[in-house]
Amino acid sequence: MSTWKRDMASGLIVLVPIIVTVWVVYWLFRFIANLPLTQTIGNPALRVFITLVVFVLLVFAVGYLMRTAIGSLVEAGIDAVMNSVPGLRVVYNASKMAVETALTGTSDLQTPVKVETWHDIRMTAFKTGREAPDGRKLLFLPTAPNITSGFVIEVAEEDVIETDETVEEALTRILSAGFGERDENPAGIPIDVVEERREADAEERPATD
């Protein structure tokens, strides 16, 4: 690989993740700063800070309330109101179940596994810790690179292939569309050291008559 290609690749590997991270943080900052309830505050940074502080305090306050008898009554009342609306109850119950599973699920939650969807073709899925009525395991099969969409599949336990991957490794592969696959070789850009060494030796070798 020529020097300019190697330098360009090295620069892209360092800069692109930083640019993407900065863009996501900037988007979140703009989203929070433009919330209607805080528009009376002139400083955007102050709006974001106040919004985050209020949200954290609200989470702890509601969490503390849920430990009391009043909290149980309030939650039951909210559930009754939401379930009385035909279209809204589906979204409410699905989102509530997803949050409860993600925060208080079993140790199998989101454990990366592989399933053979077609002959000799394996796909990465995640355990949910739930089972279908017939005993099959419920797995979430995300799409790449957008993991917010995917499929809920029911698979027999003997068809689930356990892996030694962590959640971070599996998500990295999916989010990178396969380019972030774990490699046994050290990461980096290959450098043709042999050719460069030969050229250096040729320059240092004294000329002969």
Side-chain angles (χ1 to χ4, degrees):
M1 181 182 292
S2 61
T3 303
W4 71 269
K5 290 182 180 180
R6 184 169 64 248
D7 293 343
M8 182 177 180
S10 299
L12 289 175
I13 291 174
V14 173
L15 290 179
V16 170
I18 296 176
I19 293 174
V20 173
T21 304
V22 171
W23 183 85
V24 172
V25 172
Y26 175 74
W27 182 86
L28 290 174
F29 180 87
R30 291 289 302 274
F31 175 79
I32 298 175
N34 292 327
L35 291 176
L37 298 177
T38 59
Q39 292 304 307
T40 56
I41 303 175
N43 191 338
L46 185 59
R47 291 202 298 266
V48 173
F49 176 76
I50 293 177
T51 302
L52 293 177
V53 170
V54 171
F55 178 75
V56 172
L57 293 177
L58 181 63
V59 169
F60 278 103
V62 173
Y64 177 78
L65 180 63
M66 290 300 104
R67 292 191 297 169
T68 64
I70 297 177
S72 301
L73 294 176
V74 171
E75 184 179 11
I78 294 175
D79 290 343
V81 172
M82 292 297 181
N83 289 324
S84 63
V85 183
L88 189 60
R89 65 184 179 186
V90 177
V91 179
Y92 174 77
N93 289 327
S95 59
K96 184 175 182 178
M97 183 177 297
V99 173
E100 288 178 349
T101 302
L103 297 179
T104 61
T106 63
S107 58
D108 287 335
L109 175 65
Q110 292 186 347
T111 301
V113 295
K114 293 184 183 295
V115 291
E116 187 172 314
T117 53
W118 296 283
H119 181 64
D120 290 335
I121 297 179
R122 296 188 304 181
M123 302 184 72
T124 300
F126 295 90
K127 287 185 177 181
T128 63
R130 306 278 180 165
E131 292 185 357
D134 60 354
R136 291 172 177 255
K137 301 296 182 181
L138 289 180
L139 306 179
F140 175 64
L141 183 66
T143 55
N146 180 17
I147 62 173
T148 59
S149 63
F151 305 92
V152 176
I153 57 177
E154 302 177 7
V155 183
E157 186 173 3
E158 58 269 18
D159 295 331
V160 177
I161 304 173
E162 302 287 346
T163 68
D164 59 350
E165 290 183 312
T166 64
V167 175
E168 290 76 13
E169 290 173 339
L171 287 178
T172 298
R173 180 173 62 254
I174 297 173
L175 289 171
S176 63
F179 292 99
E181 180 64 64
R182 181 176 60 178
D183 193 354
E184 298 298 332
N185 297 324
I189 302 173
I191 301 174
D192 194 355
V193 181
V194 176
E195 294 297 330
E196 294 180 356
R197 183 61 183 174
R198 288 177 180 175
E199 294 176 0
D201 291 342
E203 293 177 356
E204 295 176 358
R205 186 179 303 154
T208 58
D209 295 336

